[in-house]
Amino acid sequence: MPPSAIATLFSRLALQSCEDAGIMEHLMSHPALWGRIAAARAAESEGAKFRPVLSESEYDAQRAICY
């Protein structure tokens, strides 16, 4: 999965949770979402090729479950 896709996922989660970086980030075992977003964006390699996580039929099945 491209790091930019991971950054997009974390961005959506952060906006939904209204997470704010602060003192709690120092106490957590994982970085806050905004830290993960920055790390994912920094890891993006120009021209990198990725294969889809799900096949087209797996994606269709997943969508059917969610809707």
Side-chain angles (χ1 to χ4, degrees):
M1 181 180 298
S4 60
I6 296 168
T8 298
L9 170 69
F10 287 148
S11 294
R12 290 179 181 168
L13 290 172
L15 290 173
Q16 288 177 0
S17 70
C18 300
E19 184 178 297
D20 187 20
I23 191 67
M24 290 306 294
E25 185 171 4
H26 296 286
L27 303 173
M28 296 170 31
S29 62
H30 289 78
L33 288 175
W34 294 111
R36 294 179 194 198
I37 294 165
R41 288 191 176 135
E44 184 73 36
S45 298
E46 204 170 308
K49 298 199 186 270
F50 298 91
R51 67 175 182 79
V53 174
L54 301 174
S55 69
E56 194 168 332
S57 62
E58 291 170 328
Y59 178 73
D60 290 341
Q62 182 68 39
R63 285 182 53 99
I65 291 169
C66 295
Y67 295 104

